[in-house]
Amino acid sequence: MSYQTILFEAADGIARITLNRPDKLNAFTAEMHAELRDALDKVEAGDTRVLLLTGVGRGFCAGQDLSQRKGGTTAPDLGETLDTLYNPLIRRLRALEMPVIGAVNGVAAGAGMSLALACDITLAARSASFLQAFAKIGLLPDSGSTYFLPRLAGDARARALALLAEKITAEQAAAWGLIWKVVDDARLMEEAEALARHLASQPTKALGFIKRALDAAAGNTLDAQLDLERDLQREAGRTEDYREGVAAFLEKRAPIFKGR
Ligand code: T3D
């Protein structure tokens, strides 16, 4: 499949997906969703150990392209588009057995902000901003925002962000725990790439288990979570990378992890 709305490349264990509709601040279209699905198929099928997501131009992603939702005589079924396009994307990113880095280069609005929140480690350029744009157009936050916001920022901030739909700066997003950190604009991709290189050299299976355990924690009792940690640790203990990690420690050398 050749891509019109995203850029995709994968090399040395790092896959890069760059949203590429800069004149529309990388707003999602059905075509972009289809291309993302195809790119994620490649990420899952290949030897990728980390995924880096960013956008071209001055936007990260402005959410759904509203020109595709121009009023007709019948109301669109937005439940259907969430079911078929947005929810599978968010579920897939969270379930990827590798870290997903978000490099938020500009405004992240609507489902674009949800996308940034769904990444495992999100960096933002100092000039970037975040906007729960939904209420401005008569919608509620979707694509995971009602899940991520209160967990990351707390209920009071989640409610105000969603109800007021006020734009916040990258600094504020970091201060509220919505993202990992803010980076000077000129250094964003350099830092994101360095992070990607680092993560691509780490024990990928264990990183995948960490994601799984942290995601499950939100809905688990302590007992259930302890059981899950036991099960995943059992699997981790059987990986080549665990053997290598212990051997490297005992031999006082840097480990060489293969992601197996
Ligand atoms: O529908 C479903 O399937 C349900 C799922 C919904 C998920 C959602 O994401 S709903 C929320 C949709 N997104 C929004 O409501 C955000 C709309 N955009 C904005 O509020 C503003 O554009 C921003 C705050 C993001 C940025 O503002 P600003 O002033 O920096 O830029 P701008 O001038 O508004 O935008 C630049 C261009 O991008 C402009 O195009 P033009 O006039 O130069 O040809 C603008 O129309 C376009 N653009 C920005 N966002 C969207 C968009 N075009 C279509 N859809 C957009 N979402």
Side-chain angles (χ1 to χ4, degrees):
M1 180 181 211
S2 77
Y3 300 136
Q4 310 304 316
T5 67
I6 64 169
L7 306 172
F8 177 75
E9 58 166 23
D12 304 322
I14 303 174
R16 298 173 186 82
I17 294 180
T18 307
L19 305 181
N20 188 26
R21 300 184 69 228
D23 52 328
K24 299 297 173 196
L25 303 180
N26 302 319
F28 284 111
T29 57
E31 185 184 20
M32 184 186 278
H33 277 289
E35 293 181 5
L36 285 169
R37 279 196 299 277
D38 189 80
L40 286 172
D41 286 347
K42 293 189 173 111
V43 169
E44 285 170 352
D47 52 7
T48 296
R49 294 170 68 181
V50 58
L51 170 63
L52 174 52
L53 270 178
T54 189
V56 173
R58 71 178 183 87
F60 173 67
C61 175
Q64 169 62 36
D65 187 318
L66 296 176
S67 68
Q68 298 200 326
R69 297 286 179 270
K70 266 199 224 121
T73 43
T74 49
D77 181 350
L78 301 187
E80 171 76 13
T81 58
L82 292 184
D83 234 4
T84 55
L85 304 179
Y86 288 92
N87 292 352
L89 171 64
I90 300 299
R91 286 195 176 105
R92 238 176 138 179
L93 291 174
R94 295 298 283 192
L96 265 189
E97 298 269 325
M98 69 187 76
V100 178
I101 301 172
V104 179
N105 51 298
V107 63
M113 179 166 174
S114 309
L115 178 67
L117 299 181
C119 295
D120 297 303
I121 301 183
T122 303
L123 310 176
R126 204 167 297 284
S127 68
S129 55
F130 294 82
L131 172 64
Q132 285 288 310
F134 307 90
K136 280 183 190 282
I137 57 165
L139 295 182
L140 71 148
D142 62 28
S143 308
S145 266
T146 60
Y147 178 91
F148 297 122
L149 277 178
R151 284 174 170 78
L152 295 172
D155 194 58
R157 285 168 177 158
R159 279 170 198 259
L161 282 171
L163 293 169
L164 299 174
E166 279 180 11
K167 201 190 271 185
I168 60 167
T169 62
E171 302 270 9
Q172 205 163 5
W176 287 0
L178 290 168
I179 61 170
W180 170 235
K181 69 170 162 174
V182 178
V183 176
D184 285 341
D185 288 25
R187 290 188 37 78
L188 177 70
M189 291 320 293
E190 201 181 309
E191 285 237 9
E193 288 286 346
L195 192 56
R197 280 193 301 276
H198 167 72
L199 287 167
S201 71
Q202 295 304 295
T204 312
K205 292 262 181 222
L207 303 190
F209 295 152
I210 291 170
K211 285 184 62 161
R212 245 199 268 176
L214 290 175
D215 277 349
N220 266 350
T221 59
L222 175 60
D223 267 350
Q225 193 65 13
L226 289 170
D227 286 350
L228 177 65
E229 288 175 0
R230 174 206 57 210
D231 293 344
L232 293 176
Q233 202 70 299
R234 182 173 286 136
E235 282 191 61
R238 290 172 178 152
T239 62
E240 274 183 48
D241 282 344
Y242 169 65
R243 280 201 299 281
E244 167 63 6
V246 173
F249 176 80
L250 295 175
E251 292 160 22
K252 299 190 187 302
R253 62 172 174 82
I256 300 169
F257 294 121
K258 303 270 177 49
R260 295 193 287 262

